[in-house]
Amino acid sequence: MGVLLADTAGLDLKRTLDSGQAFRWRWDGPVAAGVLGRRVVRLTQAPGGVRLLGADGDRVAAAVRRYLGVLPSRAHPRRAETALREDRVLARILPHTSGISLLAQDPWETFISFIISQNNNIPKIMRSIEGLSRALGASLGDGVYAFPGPERLAAARMRTLAASSLGYRAPYVRTAARLVADGRLDLAALARAELEAAREALLAVPGVGEKVGDCVLLFGLGHRTAFPVDVWVRRAVEQLYFRGRRLRLDDIQAFARARFGPHAGYAQQHLFAYARGRLRP
DNA sequence: GGGCAGGTGTAAT
DNA sequence: ATTACACCTGCC
């Protein structure tokens, strides 16, 4: 049943969907169910790649392939891995992390999701996003809800936001939604803009710091040289490249640019996955 | 039940 | 320029 998605050989679905870049996937045994826009998608790992379950047509398959980062071919994770294997440290790490893909997620949903992610943990982030979708998003049937659009979120009552356990992030989410809803922040334009200009625009939003901004750039706006530094990536860089020496954030960024260049985003994903799985704090 | 994790904003030096 | 602390919630 379903269809094997082209170009997904070698893609590790679990590593990809559980890598902290997406928050709307649920595993039911071997099947991952997620919401892409207004469509529920079910995926499973197959011997030759990723299988799209259900009776969806070619257009859906193409959309899922773009989402999974295997289209266009220049964005394919295999290219990044080939290049990153030149790095001695990553060559050692890759056997544990190979197959991770950088997802091409919806800019708006990614923007809000990572504002919620600040000073937070993944299960709680997922609950908050689920709660917002349930309260404000369109029903897609079977108890599944789309992520609410900017206008819906901008107009939401504070108590609705609070009911989704946003905590002190609620005003950040509301302000961010208003900026997008009335066009003062154009996420699509930031996807086309230069990295530094886009970064600056995101950092001007209350609740968006360097880490969240870089996550939005990398996971939602297609800026594949962004290098989000959270505590795990910091540990990985300091321990694996600098013998545990304490570095400043700017120095980590400069190091990533120099060392990984156009593949910095992918390097970050592998370092993050490795650190979370195998490094001690 | 107190301590802790997780980024950002703000106020302090 | 760097540093210390508060912020909300859920988990241990």
Side-chain angles (χ1 to χ4, degrees):
Chain A
M1 191 56 190
V3 50
L4 186 67
L5 295 170
D7 308 314
T8 57
L11 194 155
D12 190 311
L13 193 61
K14 191 149 191 68
R15 285 178 181 173
T16 296
L17 299 182
D18 294 353
S19 65
Q21 52 179 324
F23 302 107
R24 294 216 75 190
W25 291 93
R26 285 279 164 72
W27 286 94
D28 184 5
V31 176
V35 186
L36 265 60
R38 304 185 124 268
R39 178 174 281 114
V40 179
V41 169
R42 294 167 69 240
L43 304 174
T44 192
Q45 187 80 54
V50 174
R51 183 168 291 276
L52 171 63
L53 301 174
D56 297 304
D58 291 349
R59 291 183 55 162
V60 176
V64 175
R65 288 169 67 212
R66 271 193 296 278
Y67 174 85
L68 288 176
V70 301
L71 273 184
S73 60
R74 67 187 139 74
H76 201 286
R78 192 184 305 115
R79 292 205 175 197
E81 286 192 24
T82 302
L84 291 174
R85 245 184 282 275
E86 302 288 314
D87 182 280
R88 302 175 67 105
V89 171
L90 284 176
R92 219 176 66 226
I93 286 176
L94 274 163
H96 305 287
T97 64
S98 178
I100 291 180
S101 188
L102 277 173
L103 301 172
Q105 300 184 80
D106 176 71
W108 157 248
E109 181 173 337
T110 306
F111 178 51
I112 297 300
S113 295
F114 279 91
I115 289 175
I116 294 171
S117 81
Q118 75 154 63
N119 197 18
N120 212 341
N121 52 60
I122 289 173
K124 195 149 86 64
I125 298 163
M126 293 178 74
R127 269 197 303 276
S128 289
I129 294 171
E130 194 60 37
L132 289 178
S133 301
R134 198 169 281 275
L136 300 166
S139 172
L140 305 176
D142 296 329
V144 182
Y145 294 82
F147 189 76
E151 294 77 13
R152 292 281 292 168
L153 211 43
R157 294 170 181 280
M158 245 7 217
R159 57 190 306 161
T160 305
L161 303 183
S164 295
S165 304
L166 299 184
Y168 64 88
R169 306 164 195 83
Y172 295 154
V173 168
R174 155 171 282 195
T175 303
R178 286 181 174 168
L179 288 172
V180 173
D182 46 43
R184 281 177 289 168
L185 188 69
D186 183 347
L187 295 171
L190 296 188
R192 296 187 300 266
E194 295 289 334
L195 175 79
E196 281 309 319
R199 197 167 195 264
E200 204 174 320
L202 290 174
L203 287 174
V205 179
V208 178
E210 309 224 10
K211 154 66 164 63
V212 167
D214 285 335
C215 284
V216 178
L217 290 168
L218 183 59
F219 303 137
L221 299 181
H223 283 282
R224 313 165 72 76
T225 56
F227 192 84
V229 180
D230 70 348
V231 292
W232 294 103
V233 172
R234 173 186 281 278
R235 278 169 199 155
V237 171
E238 289 175 347
Q239 292 186 28
L240 300 174
Y241 291 94
F242 293 90
R243 301 163 174 272
R245 182 157 68 87
R246 184 83 182 162
L247 298 175
R248 298 177 327 141
L249 184 60
D250 299 0
D251 297 331
I252 296 178
Q253 294 281 355
F255 163 79
R257 271 198 306 279
R259 184 98 177 189
F260 308 121
H263 301 296
Y266 260 108
Q268 189 271 359
Q269 280 303 90
H270 291 290
L271 290 169
F272 176 78
Y274 181 79
R276 252 205 349 180
R278 321 184 83 91
L279 282 187
R280 303 245 135 246

